[in-house]
């Protein structure tokens, strides 16, 4: 063999080794679980704590796919995920009515806040009602950044515009980023615009943003997370046992305590409030 | 400016402390993109050589399709690979979506036309009489093809660099078919996107610098081989 034949031969060997090595590690696929979730649970860092604990306890390997709530439910509707952790209650009800999900359980909540630049061109600081704040933004024509990605946050925001009686879509001051929460906050900070965000992602990013919380505390701004198993009767390939195990894990006492403490050491206040076992009505749903 | 310096400091810290997660992410990037490049070399060089040396109706159309493929948008590849490998999709039984294998497949699809296009160009660029000369010396057809590929090896190395550069820096397809799963399919590019979304710009900059360093190291190596053999 000359030099070039040897080179080709060794390249082939390396490919074979890599591919078999990687296939080997993927062989234990039956114990895997696909979790489709919102970007907020990943960007806040909560899942970095919970997922390894679940994997250790249950023996499942979790493939976390962080997308918006809308895409997560679309994956569930096609049987492409096993379990969802989402925050879009109205869309979740439709999802359940279609028979796409099973065993929907309340996990936790935090709240949405309206953030914007410190100079606050629309003068919404301290407004008690989110509808009024949205009206002020619209009438002053101040820039508002929407995620525009069918995520739970986007669904909430659309509901708020509707509640305020405003058609924001197509207005010049209303821009859709089509990005996750973290990146939309970055865009809002750069363009000095307003946006609606969940508190957890905002606090996690606050240091680099220069945006301030201007409106908070309205009951309409509650952000409620549910865990939902995908219906195995509809999609036989769904890992129902794993989905149930993950749901049980999320509402278990130990994890609920972890959720309640998460973020306290870093932000001085919790990012999420554990709600397992509570009646949805007690949160005003 | 301060942020960039912070990023550089972070990169140095991550590199010198040999942060295990960063090392694993870097190693996976190298494995996935390296495998994809090697697969694309096998397919691209053999296919490209065959295409360059044969003559048939529709050859021009095929060559222009290959050349179009050099500009194949990675997100399009990502979308179609996802659709095919969804577990309820046509190839779902293979259970490879959200695994490194799916990323290798997507990246190989992106790199193959690049390597093939450059191969066609470099083989066709050889002096036309070379082929006759080799045959006149009594070579078999197989020996002739081998000698032509050997003769074109320097431009072919440029094809290797273009193919590898195209896939190691690729993010759209990797995030769609791999899912950016921690410790499993998270590579340098997808991790950079995520850290940017988290507002950890220093980490994102550090990861970018590591990616640049990696590309430079590989291309430096290949360029040395190429330039050492440069005909004078």
């Amino acid at each position: 063999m000359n030099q070039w034949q040897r080179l080709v031969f060794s390249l082939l060997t390396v490919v074979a080794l890599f591919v078999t090595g990687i296939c080997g590690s993927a062989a234990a696929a039956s114990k895997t679980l696909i979790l489709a979730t919102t970007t907020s649970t990943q960007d806040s860092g909560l899942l970095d704590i919970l997922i390894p604990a679940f994997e250790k306890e249950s023996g499942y390997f979790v493939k976390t796919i962080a997308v918006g709530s809308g895409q997560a439910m679309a994956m569930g509707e096609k049987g492409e995920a096993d379990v969802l952790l989402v925050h879009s209650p109205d869309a979740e009800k439709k999802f359940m009515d279609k028979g796409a999900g099973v065993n929907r359980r309340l996990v936790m909540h935090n709240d949405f806040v309206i953030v914007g630049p410190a100079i606050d061109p629309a003068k919404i600081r301290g407004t008690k009602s989110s509808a009024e704040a949205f009206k002020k933004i619209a009438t002053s024509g101040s820039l508002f950044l929407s995620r525009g990605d069918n995520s739970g946050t986007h669904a909430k925001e659309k509901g708020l515009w509707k509640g305020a009686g405003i058609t924001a879509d197509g207005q010049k001051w209303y821009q859709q980023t089509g990005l996750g929460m973290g990146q939309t906050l970055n865009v809002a900070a750069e363009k000095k615009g307003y946006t609606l965000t969940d508190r957890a992602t905002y606090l996690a990013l606050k240091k680099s943003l220069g945006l301030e919380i201007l409106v908070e505390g309205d009951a309409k701004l509650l952000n409620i997370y549910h865990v939902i198993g995908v219906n195995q009767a509809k999609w036989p390939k769904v890992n129902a046992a794993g989905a149930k195990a993950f749901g049980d894990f999320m509402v278990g006492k130990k994890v609920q305590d972890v959720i309640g403490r998460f973020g306290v050491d870093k932000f001085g206040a919790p990012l999420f409030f554990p709600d397992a076992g509570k009646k949805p009505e007690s949160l005003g749903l | 400016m301060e942020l960039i310096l912070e990023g550089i400091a972070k990169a140095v810290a991550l590199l010198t402390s040999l942060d295990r997660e960063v090392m694993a992410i870097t190693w996976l990037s190298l494995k996935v993109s390296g495998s994809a490049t090697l697969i694309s070399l096998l397919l691209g060089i053999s296919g490209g050589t065959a295409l360059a040396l044969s003559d048939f109706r529709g050859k021009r159309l095929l060559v222009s399709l290959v050349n179009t493929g050099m500009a194949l948008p990675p997100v399009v590849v990502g979308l179609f690979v996802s659709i095919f490998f969804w577990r309820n999709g046509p190839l779902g039984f293979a259970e490879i979506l959200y695994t490194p294998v799916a990323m290798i497949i997507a990246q190989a699809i992106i790199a193959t036309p690049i390597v093939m296009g450059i191969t066609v160009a470099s083989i066709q660029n050889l002096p036309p009489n070379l082929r006759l000369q080799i045959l006149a010396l009594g070579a078999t057809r197989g020996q002739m093809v081998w000698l032509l590929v050997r003769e074109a090896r320097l431009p072919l190395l440029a094809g290797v660099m273009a193919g590898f550069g195209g896939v190691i820096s690729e993010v759209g397809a990797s995030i769609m078919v791999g899912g950016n799963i921690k410790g499993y399919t998270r590579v340098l590019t997808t991790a950079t996107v995520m850290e940017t979304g988290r507002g950890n710009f220093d980490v994102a900059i550090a990861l970018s610098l590591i990616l640049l360093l990696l590309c430079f190291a590989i291309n430096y190596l290949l360029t040395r081989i190429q330039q050492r053999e440069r005909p004078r």
Side-chain angles (χ1 to χ4, degrees):
Chain A
M1 279 200 285
N2 70 24
Q3 184 193 349
W4 285 88
Q5 280 168 312
R6 262 204 307 276
L7 184 66
V8 171
F9 182 75
S10 46
L11 288 185
L12 273 172
T13 317
V14 173
V15 174
L17 282 178
F18 273 161
V19 175
T20 49
I22 289 171
C23 287
S25 61
S30 57
K31 279 292 261 180
T32 63
L33 184 68
I34 299 178
L35 164 67
T37 184
T38 75
T39 54
S40 55
T41 51
Q42 183 171 69
D43 285 352
S44 64
L46 179 64
L47 289 181
D48 284 347
I49 294 178
L50 295 185
I51 297 297
F54 174 70
E55 287 180 332
K56 205 170 157 204
E57 192 181 300
S58 67
Y60 284 105
F61 172 62
V62 182
K63 296 182 173 178
T64 307
I65 312 298
V67 288
S69 285
Q71 193 182 338
M73 276 184 272
M75 284 173 71
E77 260 175 49
K78 290 198 299 287
E80 297 301 334
D82 299 310
V83 64
L84 316 178
L85 179 62
V86 286
H87 64 131
S88 195
D90 293 336
E92 287 164 31
K93 274 174 206 142
K94 282 184 202 142
F95 183 80
M96 298 304 289
D97 290 343
K98 280 185 209 159
V102 292
N103 216 353
R104 174 171 177 252
R105 285 179 278 181
L106 186 57
V107 175
M108 61 192 182
H109 76 269
N110 64 1
D111 60 348
F112 289 108
V113 293
I114 303 174
V115 299
I119 48 164
D120 189 18
K123 302 273 168 289
I124 64 166
R125 191 190 301 273
T127 309
K128 280 282 161 281
S129 119
S130 54
E132 199 182 321
F134 270 31
K135 272 182 202 148
K136 282 184 179 171
I137 292 173
T139 48
S140 67
S142 311
L143 182 64
F144 186 94
L145 280 310
S146 166
R147 281 176 62 176
D149 62 351
N150 282 333
S151 59
T153 309
H154 184 214
K156 171 63 100 181
E157 180 217 306
K158 281 195 286 191
L160 292 176
W161 287 117
K162 212 173 158 191
I166 293 165
T167 321
D169 233 345
Q171 303 287 339
K172 223 177 110 191
W173 49 268
Y174 184 77
Q175 296 182 357
Q176 301 199 337
T177 63
L179 300 169
M181 192 70 255
Q183 295 193 308
T184 300
L185 279 166
N186 290 330
V187 176
E190 279 306 309
K191 295 191 153 198
K192 300 203 186 320
Y194 295 96
T195 191
L196 180 76
T197 173
D198 63 290
R199 191 185 292 265
T201 311
Y202 169 75
L203 286 177
L205 267 73
K206 193 179 163 196
K207 61 176 181 346
S208 60
L209 285 177
L211 294 173
E212 291 181 8
I213 293 181
L214 299 171
V215 177
E216 61 185 322
D218 185 348
K220 287 205 186 95
L221 291 177
L222 225 47
N223 181 22
I224 300 163
Y225 290 79
H226 285 87
V227 63
I228 305 175
V230 175
N231 192 354
Q232 195 189 29
K234 224 171 158 181
W235 300 105
K237 287 182 181 171
V238 164
N239 181 351
K244 182 171 182 307
F246 183 75
D248 292 346
F249 172 80
M250 288 302 286
V251 301
K253 168 116 186 40
K254 213 172 69 196
V255 170
Q256 290 280 306
D257 288 346
V258 172
I259 291 173
R261 281 196 310 272
F262 178 70
V264 174
D265 49 350
K266 206 166 159 193
F267 306 109
L271 295 185
F272 297 98
F273 300 90
D275 287 328
K278 283 189 202 158
K279 291 248 181 309
E281 295 79 38
S282 69
L283 293 173
L285 269 185
Chain B
M1 196 60 218
E2 192 189 335
L3 193 61
I4 295 172
L5 292 178
E6 259 173 44
I8 293 171
K10 187 86 183 179
V12 172
L14 285 174
L15 278 174
T16 50
S17 68
L18 296 176
D19 183 275
R20 262 179 61 192
E21 197 178 342
V22 171
M23 287 299 131
I25 290 175
T26 309
W27 177 228
L28 184 69
S29 292
L30 201 57
K31 268 203 298 197
V32 166
S33 300
S35 307
T37 310
L38 295 180
I39 292 169
S40 72
L41 288 184
L42 296 176
L43 298 176
I45 293 185
S46 54
T49 310
L51 192 55
L53 295 180
S54 56
D55 206 6
F56 54 90
R57 266 171 68 98
K59 179 177 168 177
R60 280 188 189 170
L61 179 70
L62 201 58
V63 173
S64 50
L65 280 178
V66 169
N67 286 338
T68 309
M70 292 173 84
L72 204 56
V75 283
V76 174
V77 175
L79 177 63
F80 279 92
V81 171
S82 306
I83 291 173
F84 274 93
F85 284 105
W86 269 335
R87 57 185 173 192
N88 297 301
L91 301 173
F93 60 87
E95 292 188 11
I96 63 161
L97 195 60
Y98 307 133
T99 66
V101 177
M103 298 165 79
I104 293 177
I105 291 174
Q107 294 192 357
I109 294 174
I110 294 165
T112 299
I114 299 177
V115 175
M116 201 181 280
I118 294 178
T119 304
V120 172
S122 8
I123 299 278
Q124 286 187 334
N125 224 2
L126 294 172
N129 288 334
L130 185 63
R131 219 166 136 184
L132 298 174
Q133 198 180 355
I134 294 171
L135 288 174
L137 287 169
T140 63
R141 190 164 165 83
Q143 283 170 329
M144 179 202 71
V145 171
W146 180 249
L147 284 169
L148 288 181
V149 171
R150 263 202 68 166
E151 206 48 42
R153 63 186 179 271
L154 299 183
L156 287 182
L157 271 175
V160 178
M161 290 184 237
F164 180 77
V167 294
I168 188 101
S169 59
E170 187 284 321
V171 58
S174 298
I175 216 161
M176 284 163 106
V177 307
N180 189 35
I181 298 161
K182 188 177 178 175
Y184 186 54
T185 57
R186 187 167 294 171
V187 291
L188 285 168
T189 50
T190 61
T192 305
V193 170
M194 185 193 67
E195 295 298 349
T196 308
R198 285 178 167 180
N200 297 333
F201 297 114
D202 54 343
V203 183
I205 293 173
L207 291 170
S208 311
L209 290 177
I210 293 170
L211 180 61
L212 283 174
L213 215 63
L214 190 66
C215 292
F216 175 73
I218 301 270
N219 280 307
Y220 180 71
L221 215 73
L222 291 173
T223 311
R224 279 202 57 164
I225 299 174
Q226 191 189 40
Q227 296 303 311
R228 191 182 60 207
E229 300 218 7
R230 188 162 51 96
R232 273 171 264 269

